[in-house]
Amino acid sequence: MTRTLIAELGEKIGERVTIRGWVHALRDQKRMQFVIVRDETGLAQVVLEKHEPASEENEAVSALTAESAVTVTGTVAADERVKLGGLELRLEELAVDSPAEPELPVTADSALDKRIDWRYLDLRRPDRRLIFEVQTTVEFAMREFWRKDGFIELHSPKFMGSASESGAELFKVQYFDRDAYLAQSPQFYKQMAMAAGFGRVFEIGPVFRANPSFTSRHDTEFTSVDVEISWIDSHEDVMAFEERWLSYVLAEVSRQHGEAIEETFGAQLTAPAVPFPRITLAQAKERLRESSQEPVAAAHDLDPAGERALSALVLEEHGHEFAFVTDYPTAVRPFYHMRHEHDPTLTRSFDLLWRGIELTTGAQREHRYAQLLAQAHEKGVDVGPIQYYLDFFRHGAPPHGGFGFGLTRLLMQMLGQDNVREVTFLYRGPHRLAP
RNA sequence: GGGGGCGUAGCUCAGCUGGUUAGAGCGCUGCCCUGUCACGGCAGAGGUCGCGGGUUCGAGUCCCGUCGCUCCCGCCA
């Protein structure tokens, strides 16, 4: 028995075929029975006349429940009466592969948290499926671009013996007779690849953050996209790569799914023009102070409201949805970010904002061993546990820099969703470990 | 972690200043309906009002605690 996909039925009029999928709807009438079957390619109407007395097939159709997994064999017929594509399948054989219990615990309009409880049912909806079709295209396009640019793919370890940045957000796990930590970032390892002479690397992999954060854009485990590039002159080279690369990825997604995304989520997607606008953090705060309604926080960083306001400002002035914010103060950046020679209170770093949220963070890294050590000490970093990392810079390390970001933040903005949980296959948060 | 809001039927929600048998829509069950397509009609089942304590003659409603959800902030990607 060959399975025919519902999308292919139009080419098989008059033929006897077998479709396999889920019962989407059931209309069991006195003389006619209609079953709408759904597979991953679409919906199809299955029809059966009722006999007197009811045939075995009639009884089987009557006993169906919504969302049961079924295999239906019948003849494809064109019929103008059918609103669903003018096609139907005249039922000859019906097999229930796995019945669904009569009452479903969630519906399309259930609260997100409840939909996650029953994620496998939630994900059966075509619009949810589109999210993961897009995710697949995003990763494919990224790799395509990287590969053309000579990047090497990394799979760095997720067990670590020490923190890669600060200790606060690390998950501690038992590792035989001692403690280990789950990697919060592949940062140290992609820098090791620079010292190893790999030149340009990327990694798409899981990272773990023990933040008790309850927001629409945080989770405790997420897929991080990381890039690191050797032989750069400054963080500008990193930004120049990132914008070309992102623009390509968005162009591909727009080309392949733009219409579906707009239809399903109402979100418009076009490839952004390169270069993206750049503004230093100091200038950004100055501009916000000038133009603004709301007081700008005195802190060293932009708060979420500041990010939204800045994005709006850039969109208004440059017609651009992206904005690089550069030159963050040394105080708010990790010890390994390279500092400006003319002003060591500022780092050669950047954040990338898209449609009001922080998408990526990047920087040129400090590759000079003595300078790196001095910065670690100045920041009060305990260098004992990370000596292996510092060693990477003792035998010839190229100047380098890179960036990283959460894949779901990109997807969320791309699809006009308001929560990373919506675009995460299975969300992990402080209170969520199942399913 | 701090602040606001919320928790009532399988789902989404209503329930006014405390007052007798706690409601609606959808779903579910049964019956009816000559092709439905958001099918339609009739009938019915279904709730220890998140949990624990308190105030009161009386608590879904007020108070305290607790758990969970949600939004904003902090932290970040």
Side-chain angles (χ1 to χ4, degrees), chain A residues 321-350:
Chain A
E321 294 182 346
F322 287 84
F324 280 118
V325 182
T326 68
D327 300 359
Y328 280 77
T330 302
V332 297
R333 292 284 163 155
F335 73 94
Y336 55 79
H337 278 200
M338 186 178 274
R339 298 170 186 182
H340 278 290
E341 267 171 55
H342 68 270
D343 183 357
T345 67
L346 294 178
T347 55
R348 304 174 85 162
S349 66
F350 62 89

PDB file of all heavy atoms in Angstrom, chain A residues 321-350:
ATOM      1  N   GLU A 321      14.791  48.181  10.127  1.00  0.00           N
ATOM      2  CA  GLU A 321      14.312  47.460  11.311  1.00  0.00           C
ATOM      3  C   GLU A 321      15.442  46.984  12.207  1.00  0.00           C
ATOM      4  O   GLU A 321      15.211  46.564  13.336  1.00  0.00           O
ATOM      5  CB  GLU A 321      13.497  46.233  10.869  1.00  0.00           C
ATOM      6  CG  GLU A 321      12.200  46.573  10.154  1.00  0.00           C
ATOM      7  CD  GLU A 321      11.420  45.322   9.774  1.00  0.00           C
ATOM      8  OE1 GLU A 321      11.985  44.209   9.815  1.00  0.00           O
ATOM      9  OE2 GLU A 321      10.233  45.461   9.441  1.00  0.00           O
ATOM     10  N   PHE A 322      16.661  47.005  11.662  1.00  0.00           N
ATOM     11  CA  PHE A 322      17.816  46.535  12.438  1.00  0.00           C
ATOM     12  C   PHE A 322      18.662  47.721  12.888  1.00  0.00           C
ATOM     13  O   PHE A 322      18.700  48.754  12.220  1.00  0.00           O
ATOM     14  CB  PHE A 322      18.696  45.618  11.589  1.00  0.00           C
ATOM     15  CG  PHE A 322      18.093  44.259  11.344  1.00  0.00           C
ATOM     16  CD1 PHE A 322      17.183  44.065  10.298  1.00  0.00           C
ATOM     17  CD2 PHE A 322      18.419  43.180  12.154  1.00  0.00           C
ATOM     18  CE1 PHE A 322      16.625  42.819  10.067  1.00  0.00           C
ATOM     19  CE2 PHE A 322      17.868  41.929  11.924  1.00  0.00           C
ATOM     20  CZ  PHE A 322      16.971  41.749  10.877  1.00  0.00           C
ATOM     21  N   ALA A 323      19.337  47.546  14.002  1.00  0.00           N
ATOM     22  CA  ALA A 323      20.270  48.578  14.457  1.00  0.00           C
ATOM     23  C   ALA A 323      21.377  47.950  15.290  1.00  0.00           C
ATOM     24  O   ALA A 323      21.102  47.192  16.230  1.00  0.00           O
ATOM     25  CB  ALA A 323      19.539  49.638  15.276  1.00  0.00           C
ATOM     26  N   PHE A 324      22.612  48.241  14.906  1.00  0.00           N
ATOM     27  CA  PHE A 324      23.744  47.858  15.748  1.00  0.00           C
ATOM     28  C   PHE A 324      23.985  48.956  16.767  1.00  0.00           C
ATOM     29  O   PHE A 324      24.115  50.128  16.400  1.00  0.00           O
ATOM     30  CB  PHE A 324      25.015  47.709  14.900  1.00  0.00           C
ATOM     31  CG  PHE A 324      25.116  46.407  14.143  1.00  0.00           C
ATOM     32  CD1 PHE A 324      25.157  46.396  12.754  1.00  0.00           C
ATOM     33  CD2 PHE A 324      25.201  45.193  14.832  1.00  0.00           C
ATOM     34  CE1 PHE A 324      25.270  45.196  12.055  1.00  0.00           C
ATOM     35  CE2 PHE A 324      25.319  43.994  14.131  1.00  0.00           C
ATOM     36  CZ  PHE A 324      25.355  43.992  12.749  1.00  0.00           C
ATOM     37  N   VAL A 325      24.027  48.573  18.033  1.00  0.00           N
ATOM     38  CA  VAL A 325      24.386  49.518  19.088  1.00  0.00           C
ATOM     39  C   VAL A 325      25.788  49.116  19.540  1.00  0.00           C
ATOM     40  O   VAL A 325      26.001  47.946  19.900  1.00  0.00           O
ATOM     41  CB  VAL A 325      23.401  49.471  20.272  1.00  0.00           C
ATOM     42  CG1 VAL A 325      23.773  50.506  21.320  1.00  0.00           C
ATOM     43  CG2 VAL A 325      21.980  49.691  19.767  1.00  0.00           C
ATOM     44  N   THR A 326      26.735  50.039  19.484  1.00  0.00           N
ATOM     45  CA  THR A 326      28.135  49.664  19.684  1.00  0.00           C
ATOM     46  C   THR A 326      28.750  50.318  20.918  1.00  0.00           C
ATOM     47  O   THR A 326      28.156  51.203  21.527  1.00  0.00           O
ATOM     48  CB  THR A 326      28.975  50.070  18.457  1.00  0.00           C
ATOM     49  OG1 THR A 326      29.028  51.502  18.401  1.00  0.00           O
ATOM     50  CG2 THR A 326      28.381  49.529  17.174  1.00  0.00           C
ATOM     51  N   ASP A 327      29.955  49.863  21.242  1.00  0.00           N
ATOM     52  CA  ASP A 327      30.799  50.499  22.252  1.00  0.00           C
ATOM     53  C   ASP A 327      30.165  50.534  23.649  1.00  0.00           C
ATOM     54  O   ASP A 327      29.987  51.605  24.238  1.00  0.00           O
ATOM     55  CB  ASP A 327      31.178  51.923  21.804  1.00  0.00           C
ATOM     56  CG  ASP A 327      31.951  51.915  20.486  1.00  0.00           C
ATOM     57  OD1 ASP A 327      32.202  50.820  19.935  1.00  0.00           O
ATOM     58  OD2 ASP A 327      32.307  52.998  20.004  1.00  0.00           O
ATOM     59  N   TYR A 328      29.827  49.376  24.140  1.00  0.00           N
ATOM     60  CA  TYR A 328      29.261  49.278  25.487  1.00  0.00           C
ATOM     61  C   TYR A 328      30.357  49.494  26.523  1.00  0.00           C
ATOM     62  O   TYR A 328      31.526  49.157  26.290  1.00  0.00           O
ATOM     63  CB  TYR A 328      28.609  47.901  25.683  1.00  0.00           C
ATOM     64  CG  TYR A 328      27.241  47.816  25.061  1.00  0.00           C
ATOM     65  CD1 TYR A 328      27.113  47.663  23.677  1.00  0.00           C
ATOM     66  CD2 TYR A 328      26.083  47.938  25.826  1.00  0.00           C
ATOM     67  CE1 TYR A 328      25.855  47.607  23.077  1.00  0.00           C
ATOM     68  CE2 TYR A 328      24.833  47.886  25.238  1.00  0.00           C
ATOM     69  CZ  TYR A 328      24.723  47.728  23.864  1.00  0.00           C
ATOM     70  OH  TYR A 328      23.475  47.686  23.283  1.00  0.00           O
ATOM     71  N   PRO A 329      29.987  50.039  27.670  1.00  0.00           N
ATOM     72  CA  PRO A 329      30.987  50.281  28.714  1.00  0.00           C
ATOM     73  C   PRO A 329      31.620  48.973  29.200  1.00  0.00           C
ATOM     74  O   PRO A 329      30.953  47.939  29.279  1.00  0.00           O
ATOM     75  CB  PRO A 329      30.181  50.912  29.847  1.00  0.00           C
ATOM     76  CG  PRO A 329      28.945  51.426  29.218  1.00  0.00           C
ATOM     77  CD  PRO A 329      28.661  50.536  28.045  1.00  0.00           C
ATOM     78  N   THR A 330      32.880  49.064  29.530  1.00  0.00           N
ATOM     79  CA  THR A 330      33.622  47.932  30.082  1.00  0.00           C
ATOM     80  C   THR A 330      32.898  47.326  31.287  1.00  0.00           C
ATOM     81  O   THR A 330      32.898  46.111  31.474  1.00  0.00           O
ATOM     82  CB  THR A 330      35.021  48.418  30.499  1.00  0.00           C
ATOM     83  OG1 THR A 330      35.646  48.974  29.327  1.00  0.00           O
ATOM     84  CG2 THR A 330      35.866  47.296  31.039  1.00  0.00           C
ATOM     85  N   ALA A 331      32.241  48.177  32.032  1.00  0.00           N
ATOM     86  CA  ALA A 331      31.573  47.741  33.259  1.00  0.00           C
ATOM     87  C   ALA A 331      30.488  46.700  33.022  1.00  0.00           C
ATOM     88  O   ALA A 331      30.238  45.856  33.883  1.00  0.00           O
ATOM     89  CB  ALA A 331      30.981  48.952  33.989  1.00  0.00           C
ATOM     90  N   VAL A 332      29.828  46.752  31.864  1.00  0.00           N
ATOM     91  CA  VAL A 332      28.712  45.831  31.640  1.00  0.00           C
ATOM     92  C   VAL A 332      29.061  44.711  30.667  1.00  0.00           C
ATOM     93  O   VAL A 332      28.183  43.980  30.212  1.00  0.00           O
ATOM     94  CB  VAL A 332      27.453  46.567  31.129  1.00  0.00           C
ATOM     95  CG1 VAL A 332      26.967  47.558  32.168  1.00  0.00           C
ATOM     96  CG2 VAL A 332      27.717  47.264  29.797  1.00  0.00           C
ATOM     97  N   ARG A 333      30.348  44.581  30.343  1.00  0.00           N
ATOM     98  CA  ARG A 333      30.749  43.528  29.416  1.00  0.00           C
ATOM     99  C   ARG A 333      31.730  42.578  30.082  1.00  0.00           C
ATOM    100  O   ARG A 333      32.453  42.973  31.013  1.00  0.00           O
ATOM    101  CB  ARG A 333      31.381  44.151  28.166  1.00  0.00           C
ATOM    102  CG  ARG A 333      30.380  44.914  27.318  1.00  0.00           C
ATOM    103  CD  ARG A 333      29.500  43.948  26.534  1.00  0.00           C
ATOM    104  NE  ARG A 333      28.305  44.581  26.018  1.00  0.00           N
ATOM    105  CZ  ARG A 333      27.616  44.171  24.958  1.00  0.00           C
ATOM    106  NH1 ARG A 333      28.018  43.096  24.297  1.00  0.00           N
ATOM    107  NH2 ARG A 333      26.537  44.777  24.568  1.00  0.00           N
ATOM    108  N   PRO A 334      31.787  41.330  29.620  1.00  0.00           N
ATOM    109  CA  PRO A 334      32.687  40.374  30.253  1.00  0.00           C
ATOM    110  C   PRO A 334      34.160  40.735  30.038  1.00  0.00           C
ATOM    111  O   PRO A 334      34.497  41.532  29.163  1.00  0.00           O
ATOM    112  CB  PRO A 334      32.347  39.049  29.570  1.00  0.00           C
ATOM    113  CG  PRO A 334      31.495  39.373  28.410  1.00  0.00           C
ATOM    114  CD  PRO A 334      30.937  40.728  28.588  1.00  0.00           C
ATOM    115  N   PHE A 335      35.010  40.122  30.850  1.00  0.00           N
ATOM    116  CA  PHE A 335      36.431  40.491  30.857  1.00  0.00           C
ATOM    117  C   PHE A 335      37.126  40.256  29.529  1.00  0.00           C
ATOM    118  O   PHE A 335      38.114  40.895  29.214  1.00  0.00           O
ATOM    119  CB  PHE A 335      37.166  39.720  31.967  1.00  0.00           C
ATOM    120  CG  PHE A 335      37.363  38.245  31.664  1.00  0.00           C
ATOM    121  CD1 PHE A 335      38.535  37.795  31.067  1.00  0.00           C
ATOM    122  CD2 PHE A 335      36.389  37.308  31.985  1.00  0.00           C
ATOM    123  CE1 PHE A 335      38.719  36.440  30.774  1.00  0.00           C
ATOM    124  CE2 PHE A 335      36.564  35.959  31.702  1.00  0.00           C
ATOM    125  CZ  PHE A 335      37.722  35.514  31.101  1.00  0.00           C
ATOM    126  N   TYR A 336      36.595  39.333  28.713  1.00  0.00           N
ATOM    127  CA  TYR A 336      37.300  38.992  27.476  1.00  0.00           C
ATOM    128  C   TYR A 336      36.956  39.902  26.299  1.00  0.00           C
ATOM    129  O   TYR A 336      37.481  39.717  25.204  1.00  0.00           O
ATOM    130  CB  TYR A 336      37.073  37.521  27.109  1.00  0.00           C
ATOM    131  CG  TYR A 336      35.611  37.128  26.993  1.00  0.00           C
ATOM    132  CD1 TYR A 336      34.885  37.444  25.847  1.00  0.00           C
ATOM    133  CD2 TYR A 336      34.963  36.450  28.022  1.00  0.00           C
ATOM    134  CE1 TYR A 336      33.551  37.105  25.739  1.00  0.00           C
ATOM    135  CE2 TYR A 336      33.631  36.099  27.925  1.00  0.00           C
ATOM    136  CZ  TYR A 336      32.925  36.435  26.773  1.00  0.00           C
ATOM    137  OH  TYR A 336      31.604  36.094  26.674  1.00  0.00           O
ATOM    138  N   HIS A 337      36.041  40.840  26.488  1.00  0.00           N
ATOM    139  CA  HIS A 337      35.776  41.805  25.414  1.00  0.00           C
ATOM    140  C   HIS A 337      36.951  42.769  25.307  1.00  0.00           C
ATOM    141  O   HIS A 337      37.439  43.299  26.311  1.00  0.00           O
ATOM    142  CB  HIS A 337      34.494  42.590  25.696  1.00  0.00           C
ATOM    143  CG  HIS A 337      33.249  41.847  25.304  1.00  0.00           C
ATOM    144  ND1 HIS A 337      32.045  42.457  25.081  1.00  0.00           N
ATOM    145  CD2 HIS A 337      33.045  40.519  25.112  1.00  0.00           C
ATOM    146  CE1 HIS A 337      31.133  41.547  24.751  1.00  0.00           C
ATOM    147  NE2 HIS A 337      31.718  40.356  24.781  1.00  0.00           N
ATOM    148  N   MET A 338      37.424  43.007  24.073  1.00  0.00           N
ATOM    149  CA  MET A 338      38.544  43.924  23.881  1.00  0.00           C
ATOM    150  C   MET A 338      38.086  45.365  24.131  1.00  0.00           C
ATOM    151  O   MET A 338      36.951  45.727  23.826  1.00  0.00           O
ATOM    152  CB  MET A 338      39.108  43.796  22.457  1.00  0.00           C
ATOM    153  CG  MET A 338      40.360  44.631  22.252  1.00  0.00           C
ATOM    154  SD  MET A 338      41.057  44.429  20.607  1.00  0.00           S
ATOM    155  CE  MET A 338      42.080  42.984  20.859  1.00  0.00           C
ATOM    156  N   ARG A 339      38.980  46.140  24.715  1.00  0.00           N
ATOM    157  CA  ARG A 339      38.640  47.525  25.017  1.00  0.00           C
ATOM    158  C   ARG A 339      39.225  48.464  23.966  1.00  0.00           C
ATOM    159  O   ARG A 339      40.222  48.116  23.315  1.00  0.00           O
ATOM    160  CB  ARG A 339      39.180  47.891  26.405  1.00  0.00           C
ATOM    161  CG  ARG A 339      38.524  47.018  27.469  1.00  0.00           C
ATOM    162  CD  ARG A 339      39.166  47.142  28.818  1.00  0.00           C
ATOM    163  NE  ARG A 339      38.570  46.155  29.736  1.00  0.00           N
ATOM    164  CZ  ARG A 339      38.895  46.046  31.013  1.00  0.00           C
ATOM    165  NH1 ARG A 339      39.824  46.842  31.540  1.00  0.00           N
ATOM    166  NH2 ARG A 339      38.296  45.139  31.764  1.00  0.00           N
ATOM    167  N   HIS A 340      38.617  49.602  23.841  1.00  0.00           N
ATOM    168  CA  HIS A 340      39.148  50.612  22.912  1.00  0.00           C
ATOM    169  C   HIS A 340      40.474  51.136  23.434  1.00  0.00           C
ATOM    170  O   HIS A 340      40.629  51.374  24.631  1.00  0.00           O
ATOM    171  CB  HIS A 340      38.164  51.777  22.781  1.00  0.00           C
ATOM    172  CG  HIS A 340      37.067  51.498  21.810  1.00  0.00           C
ATOM    173  ND1 HIS A 340      37.265  51.414  20.462  1.00  0.00           N
ATOM    174  CD2 HIS A 340      35.742  51.267  22.005  1.00  0.00           C
ATOM    175  CE1 HIS A 340      36.103  51.157  19.853  1.00  0.00           C
ATOM    176  NE2 HIS A 340      35.169  51.056  20.770  1.00  0.00           N
ATOM    177  N   GLU A 341      41.454  51.326  22.513  1.00  0.00           N
ATOM    178  CA  GLU A 341      42.749  51.842  22.937  1.00  0.00           C
ATOM    179  C   GLU A 341      42.627  53.270  23.443  1.00  0.00           C
ATOM    180  O   GLU A 341      43.214  53.637  24.452  1.00  0.00           O
ATOM    181  CB  GLU A 341      43.735  51.806  21.758  1.00  0.00           C
ATOM    182  CG  GLU A 341      44.547  50.528  21.724  1.00  0.00           C
ATOM    183  CD  GLU A 341      45.351  50.414  20.441  1.00  0.00           C
ATOM    184  OE1 GLU A 341      46.117  51.355  20.156  1.00  0.00           O
ATOM    185  OE2 GLU A 341      45.184  49.404  19.736  1.00  0.00           O
ATOM    186  N   HIS A 342      41.819  54.062  22.748  1.00  0.00           N
ATOM    187  CA  HIS A 342      41.696  55.476  23.116  1.00  0.00           C
ATOM    188  C   HIS A 342      40.876  55.683  24.380  1.00  0.00           C
ATOM    189  O   HIS A 342      40.922  56.738  24.986  1.00  0.00           O
ATOM    190  CB  HIS A 342      41.095  56.272  21.955  1.00  0.00           C
ATOM    191  CG  HIS A 342      39.652  55.923  21.668  1.00  0.00           C
ATOM    192  ND1 HIS A 342      39.283  54.941  20.783  1.00  0.00           N
ATOM    193  CD2 HIS A 342      38.503  56.409  22.186  1.00  0.00           C
ATOM    194  CE1 HIS A 342      37.965  54.846  20.748  1.00  0.00           C
ATOM    195  NE2 HIS A 342      37.465  55.721  21.607  1.00  0.00           N
ATOM    196  N   ASP A 343      40.078  54.653  24.738  1.00  0.00           N
ATOM    197  CA  ASP A 343      39.237  54.798  25.923  1.00  0.00           C
ATOM    198  C   ASP A 343      38.927  53.433  26.511  1.00  0.00           C
ATOM    199  O   ASP A 343      37.961  52.782  26.127  1.00  0.00           O
ATOM    200  CB  ASP A 343      37.933  55.521  25.551  1.00  0.00           C
ATOM    201  CG  ASP A 343      37.058  55.746  26.780  1.00  0.00           C
ATOM    202  OD1 ASP A 343      37.426  55.290  27.894  1.00  0.00           O
ATOM    203  OD2 ASP A 343      35.993  56.376  26.633  1.00  0.00           O
ATOM    204  N   PRO A 344      39.751  52.980  27.452  1.00  0.00           N
ATOM    205  CA  PRO A 344      39.580  51.628  28.003  1.00  0.00           C
ATOM    206  C   PRO A 344      38.305  51.450  28.825  1.00  0.00           C
ATOM    207  O   PRO A 344      38.019  50.344  29.259  1.00  0.00           O
ATOM    208  CB  PRO A 344      40.827  51.435  28.877  1.00  0.00           C
ATOM    209  CG  PRO A 344      41.391  52.785  29.093  1.00  0.00           C
ATOM    210  CD  PRO A 344      40.913  53.685  28.005  1.00  0.00           C
ATOM    211  N   THR A 345      37.512  52.495  28.994  1.00  0.00           N
ATOM    212  CA  THR A 345      36.240  52.305  29.685  1.00  0.00           C
ATOM    213  C   THR A 345      35.168  51.809  28.716  1.00  0.00           C
ATOM    214  O   THR A 345      34.053  51.500  29.128  1.00  0.00           O
ATOM    215  CB  THR A 345      35.730  53.611  30.328  1.00  0.00           C
ATOM    216  OG1 THR A 345      35.385  54.535  29.284  1.00  0.00           O
ATOM    217  CG2 THR A 345      36.789  54.230  31.234  1.00  0.00           C
ATOM    218  N   LEU A 346      35.526  51.754  27.413  1.00  0.00           N
ATOM    219  CA  LEU A 346      34.573  51.288  26.405  1.00  0.00           C
ATOM    220  C   LEU A 346      35.113  50.042  25.713  1.00  0.00           C
ATOM    221  O   LEU A 346      36.317  49.929  25.480  1.00  0.00           O
ATOM    222  CB  LEU A 346      34.326  52.367  25.342  1.00  0.00           C
ATOM    223  CG  LEU A 346      33.626  53.640  25.803  1.00  0.00           C
ATOM    224  CD1 LEU A 346      33.504  54.611  24.641  1.00  0.00           C
ATOM    225  CD2 LEU A 346      32.253  53.335  26.400  1.00  0.00           C
ATOM    226  N   THR A 347      34.212  49.125  25.384  1.00  0.00           N
ATOM    227  CA  THR A 347      34.627  47.886  24.721  1.00  0.00           C
ATOM    228  C   THR A 347      34.330  47.952  23.225  1.00  0.00           C
ATOM    229  O   THR A 347      33.494  48.741  22.773  1.00  0.00           O
ATOM    230  CB  THR A 347      33.879  46.678  25.303  1.00  0.00           C
ATOM    231  OG1 THR A 347      32.471  46.932  25.202  1.00  0.00           O
ATOM    232  CG2 THR A 347      34.256  46.447  26.752  1.00  0.00           C
ATOM    233  N   ARG A 348      35.033  47.089  22.493  1.00  0.00           N
ATOM    234  CA  ARG A 348      34.804  47.000  21.045  1.00  0.00           C
ATOM    235  C   ARG A 348      33.706  45.968  20.843  1.00  0.00           C
ATOM    236  O   ARG A 348      33.924  44.860  20.357  1.00  0.00           O
ATOM    237  CB  ARG A 348      36.103  46.602  20.350  1.00  0.00           C
ATOM    238  CG  ARG A 348      37.215  47.582  20.691  1.00  0.00           C
ATOM    239  CD  ARG A 348      38.548  47.146  20.135  1.00  0.00           C
ATOM    240  NE  ARG A 348      38.691  47.586  18.745  1.00  0.00           N
ATOM    241  CZ  ARG A 348      39.856  47.658  18.095  1.00  0.00           C
ATOM    242  NH1 ARG A 348      40.985  47.315  18.681  1.00  0.00           N
ATOM    243  NH2 ARG A 348      39.898  48.063  16.858  1.00  0.00           N
ATOM    244  N   SER A 349      32.507  46.353  21.244  1.00  0.00           N
ATOM    245  CA  SER A 349      31.399  45.404  21.307  1.00  0.00           C
ATOM    246  C   SER A 349      30.155  45.986  20.663  1.00  0.00           C
ATOM    247  O   SER A 349      30.097  47.173  20.348  1.00  0.00           O
ATOM    248  CB  SER A 349      31.098  45.095  22.775  1.00  0.00           C
ATOM    249  OG  SER A 349      30.620  46.273  23.409  1.00  0.00           O
ATOM    250  N   PHE A 350      29.156  45.124  20.510  1.00  0.00           N
ATOM    251  CA  PHE A 350      27.883  45.584  19.939  1.00  0.00           C
ATOM    252  C   PHE A 350      26.749  44.659  20.333  1.00  0.00           C
ATOM    253  O   PHE A 350      26.971  43.498  20.687  1.00  0.00           O
ATOM    254  CB  PHE A 350      27.983  45.642  18.407  1.00  0.00           C
ATOM    255  CG  PHE A 350      28.240  44.307  17.761  1.00  0.00           C
ATOM    256  CD1 PHE A 350      27.191  43.472  17.394  1.00  0.00           C
ATOM    257  CD2 PHE A 350      29.541  43.867  17.519  1.00  0.00           C
ATOM    258  CE1 PHE A 350      27.431  42.234  16.801  1.00  0.00           C
ATOM    259  CE2 PHE A 350      29.784  42.628  16.926  1.00  0.00           C
ATOM    260  CZ  PHE A 350      28.724  41.804  16.568  1.00  0.00           C
TER     261      PHE A 350
END
